[in-house]
Amino acid sequence: MHMKTGVEQSVYAVLLLNMLPDKAVLPGEAISQQLKASPTYFRKLLRKLVSADVIASVPGVKGGFKLNKRPEAITVYDIYLAIEGRQSLYSSSGILGDLLELEKEESCCLLTDLMEEAEVAWKSVMKRETISSLAEKMNEQQFLLKTEALQQWVQRKMVA
Amino acid sequence: MHMKTGVEQSVYAVLLLNMLPDKAVLPGEAISQQLKASPTYFRKLLRKLVSADVIASVPGVKGGFKLNKRPEAITVYDIYLAIEGRQSLYSSSGILGDLLELEKEESCCLLTDLMEEAEVAWKSVMKRETISSLAEKMNEQQFLLKTEALQQWVQRKMVA
DNA sequence: CTAAACGCGGACAATCATTATCCTCGTTAT
DNA sequence: ATAACGAGGATAATGATTGTCCGCGTTTAG
């Protein structure tokens, strides 16, 4: 049981897009290069973010991606949800029904409610952090110089 | 990202062992048959539970498994931990280090603390429910008759 | 004291989700 | 028109999980 690495990659991709000036976009290939991710697969992640309305895409030459919401309005959970989908961490395989020889209609599971609650707790922590709060952390003393270099890279690679 | 089905199976296995009278044991094969799980793989799960001191095993003919703690002292989390191990749900792949071109020593991740906290929240819910509280739920009105039938099956299959 | 029933442990194979590639298409700036 | 980009599907490679097999040590029963 492990979270997909795509979630981490996507968070940093969104952080890159957050460095764009208004109206500008960043081509998908530039992003995946910077993240050292496989370009073809990374496009799929970006499309999931588009479907979830976290980012927007612009087709055609001079196309690319940009944020679709204000950075304060994008939580880590939004990105998690876009990539991992709604499937819950736990789903009963119906063992209890077999054990007690229940009819299919009355099938139940002693764990479902508990695990549901656990998952809510886990997700609620992810909802607390937003892209803008993460961006602030990147701008702290220790990383300030490096982050500025990264912003300059964004300026060079962006279009429009 | 999905929890192993082995966790659910293990919880119900422990619930079965909880129905044993003192000193009695249940052979592994009987358990896996009742849970409709593959016997060879299920033995591995049982051994993980043994390593985690949740259950105890008795070798030799007339051998089998039994609880190693009072049912109030076994939480769902104990079983989760035995099966899934200590590996955390999230682990950074170090992208930020690449992005900012940090030296390896100062490598860091904006998400690690958050995800750590989320995982603590998720686990703390699992620590609330114990084998004895689950056993009570099985004895509620709607399942009482079926649960008694299951207890009789345990009586027949147990040894010593 | 031998055999049979059980748990232990490791090597190995099958299955399944995740990651990655490839090819074709629609869109847009030049 | 053509070149650069995103969209989407079919399909492989990878890796984790699940499942099998075989030989071993221990204990009870004959």
Side-chain angles (χ1 to χ4, degrees):
Chain A
M1 184 188 195
H2 198 277
M3 199 163 101
K4 299 184 193 169
T5 69
V7 176
E8 183 184 5
Q9 295 177 317
S10 298
V11 167
Y12 286 109
V14 173
L15 278 169
L16 283 179
L17 296 182
N18 185 44
M19 292 176 172
L20 285 171
D22 240 28
K23 306 284 176 187
V25 300
L26 204 50
E29 182 145 349
I31 305 175
S32 55
Q33 268 179 22
Q34 187 68 333
L35 297 184
K36 297 188 166 66
S38 92
T40 54
Y41 181 59
F42 199 74
R43 278 209 311 260
K44 296 197 169 191
L45 297 179
L46 289 171
R47 276 188 276 132
K48 287 189 177 193
L49 292 169
V50 170
S51 300
D53 290 318
V54 173
I55 67 178
S57 66
V58 176
V61 56
K62 291 209 167 185
F65 300 88
K66 63 184 175 188
L67 291 192
N68 195 40
K69 298 180 180 183
R70 289 170 301 118
E72 315 89 70
I74 303 175
T75 67
V76 172
Y77 173 69
D78 292 328
I79 297 172
Y80 165 89
L81 185 61
I83 305 301
E84 296 265 353
R86 292 208 170 272
Q87 189 190 44
S88 52
L89 299 192
Y90 171 81
S91 64
S92 165
S93 53
I95 300 179
L96 185 60
D98 289 343
L99 268 183
L100 301 183
E101 294 178 340
L102 302 174
E103 305 305 321
K104 290 190 182 125
E105 300 79 35
E106 51 179 346
S107 176
C108 88
C109 172
L110 299 174
L111 294 176
T112 298
D113 289 351
L114 182 74
M115 299 311 284
E116 192 82 27
E117 203 181 330
E119 194 166 331
V120 169
W122 140 274
K123 288 175 176 174
S124 76
V125 173
M126 286 193 284
K127 287 176 184 167
R128 290 211 310 255
E129 196 99 50
T130 67
I131 288 301
S132 64
S133 70
L134 286 176
E136 277 175 33
K137 292 189 182 177
M138 261 209 317
N139 278 316
E140 280 172 9
Q141 205 64 28
Q142 42 188 155
F143 307 128
L144 195 49
L145 276 175
K146 307 281 195 175
T147 301
E148 279 166 4
L150 187 57
Q151 272 165 355
Q152 282 166 26
W153 175 88
V154 170
Q155 306 280 325
R156 285 200 309 277
K157 292 294 188 173
M158 76 186 191
V159 287
Chain B
M1 183 187 197
H2 198 275
M3 197 162 103
K4 300 183 194 171
T5 68
V7 176
E8 184 185 4
Q9 294 177 317
S10 298
V11 167
Y12 286 108
V14 174
L15 278 169
L16 282 180
L17 297 181
N18 185 44
M19 292 176 171
L20 285 171
D22 241 29
K23 306 287 177 184
V25 299
L26 204 50
E29 182 146 349
I31 304 174
S32 55
Q33 269 179 20
Q34 187 67 333
L35 297 184
K36 296 188 167 66
S38 91
T40 55
Y41 181 59
F42 199 75
R43 279 209 310 261
K44 297 195 170 188
L45 297 178
L46 289 170
R47 277 188 271 135
K48 287 190 178 191
L49 293 169
V50 170
S51 300
D53 289 320
V54 174
I55 66 178
S57 66
V58 175
V61 55
K62 291 208 169 188
F65 299 88
K66 63 184 175 188
L67 292 193
N68 196 39
K69 298 179 178 182
R70 289 169 303 116
E72 314 89 70
I74 303 175
T75 67
V76 171
Y77 174 69
D78 292 327
I79 296 171
Y80 166 88
L81 184 62
I83 304 301
E84 296 266 353
R86 294 210 168 271
Q87 189 189 42
S88 52
L89 299 192
Y90 171 81
S91 63
S92 165
S93 53
I95 299 179
L96 186 61
D98 289 343
L99 269 184
L100 300 182
E101 294 178 341
L102 302 173
E103 305 303 320
K104 294 198 179 119
E105 299 79 34
E106 51 179 346
S107 175
C108 87
C109 172
L110 297 174
L111 295 176
T112 299
D113 289 351
L114 183 75
M115 299 311 286
E116 191 83 30
E117 203 182 328
E119 193 166 333
V120 168
W122 141 273
K123 288 176 177 173
S124 75
V125 173
M126 286 193 283
K127 287 176 184 167
R128 292 209 311 252
E129 195 99 51
T130 67
I131 288 302
S132 64
S133 69
L134 287 177
E136 277 174 33
K137 292 189 182 178
M138 261 210 315
N139 278 315
E140 280 172 10
Q141 205 64 23
Q142 41 186 158
F143 306 128
L144 195 49
L145 276 175
K146 307 281 194 175
T147 302
E148 279 167 5
L150 187 57
Q151 272 166 356
Q152 283 166 25
W153 175 88
V154 170
Q155 306 281 325
R156 287 201 307 278
K157 291 295 188 174
M158 75 185 191
V159 287

